[in-house]
Amino acid sequence: MQPPGPVTDITAFRHVKDPLLHQFLDYYLTLRQGDRVPRRSQVSPMDFPRLLSNIFLYECDTTAQDFHLRLAGSQVAEMLQTMKAGTKMSDVFPPDVFPIVLQRYRRVCTDLAVMHNIGKVFHLMGGTGMGERIVMPLLDNAGVPSFIIGATVYMLPKDEIHVPPGREPQVVTYTPL
């Protein structure tokens, strides 16, 4: 059993705005049971039915320097029509966007951190709507951080999300576990 990292409870995520994402984070943190990161086998999508359409799950393929999609909720799949189970991340995102997304998601696994982004979460792909996303690492059965699970909530463009002047159209943060 690994000692818990700096994050011990939900208070480290006050910057997360959406109540469903807060519930998802709380669920995730509860699964840790003294470890820094829960195992993939501990997660059941049926434990968060109200967020199921917003969930995605990827498995890391370190050999190919890619991720394979294992689960995409209906809203996620609607936003990215290329998201189908088994699809490589490099086939989901355009070639100019894939390296950025790959770097962000790999950091979640390598640093054992929760990624949060808020603002124009699809601006790299030309999207204009506002949203909020969290991405968290999961261990495989051998205890290796080989999966990421995340959720994106989509808000109408009229919803106000404060992005500081001079910043990208979205704010991305990493909170170590």
Side-chain angles (χ1 to χ4, degrees), residues 10 17 46 53 62-63 67 70 78 100 103 106-107 120 134 165 174:
I10 197 72
K17 307 267 188 239
M46 299 317 293
S53 65
T62 53
T63 305
F67 283 85
R70 298 296 175 221
E78 191 175 307
I100 298 165
Q103 180 273 330
R106 287 196 60 165
R107 183 173 173 186
K120 293 182 180 178
I134 56 171
Y174 296 87

Side-chain angles (χ1 to χ4, degrees), residues 11-149:
T11 60
F13 298 99
R14 288 189 180 115
H15 56 287
V16 176
K17 307 267 188 239
D18 186 84
L20 287 176
L21 292 181
H22 260 281
Q23 290 174 9
F24 190 41
L25 277 163
D26 195 41
Y27 166 83
Y28 175 87
L29 294 172
T30 302
L31 289 179
R32 298 187 314 164
Q33 301 174 347
D35 291 333
R36 283 181 71 188
V37 175
R39 294 184 186 276
R40 162 63 188 100
S41 59
Q42 293 175 270
V43 175
S44 172
M46 299 317 293
D47 289 342
F48 35 89
R50 290 181 56 211
L51 200 57
L52 192 55
S53 65
N54 304 81
I55 296 292
F56 56 90
L57 175 74
Y58 279 101
E59 183 175 5
C60 182
D61 181 348
T62 53
T63 305
Q65 299 293 308
D66 209 336
F67 283 85
H68 292 273
L69 184 66
R70 298 296 175 221
L71 172 72
S74 58
Q75 282 194 10
V76 175
E78 191 175 307
M79 293 297 287
L80 288 169
Q81 309 245 329
T82 54
M83 287 188 89
K84 295 180 181 24
T87 305
K88 293 188 305 185
M89 184 184 285
S90 57
D91 293 333
V92 170
F93 295 97
D96 59 326
V97 174
F98 169 68
I100 298 165
V101 177
L102 178 66
Q103 180 273 330
R104 288 178 181 174
Y105 288 4
R106 287 196 60 165
R107 183 173 173 186
V108 169
C109 285
T110 59
D111 293 0
L112 298 181
V114 174
M115 184 192 90
H116 171 254
N117 60 322
I118 190 167
K120 293 182 180 178
V121 293
F122 282 109
H123 87 278
L124 293 172
M125 297 180 59
T128 57
M130 303 297 258
E132 187 173 23
R133 175 181 298 128
I134 56 171
V135 182
M136 303 163 291
L138 293 170
L139 305 177
D140 62 18
N141 290 334
V144 176
S146 299
F147 293 89
I148 57 169
I149 190 164

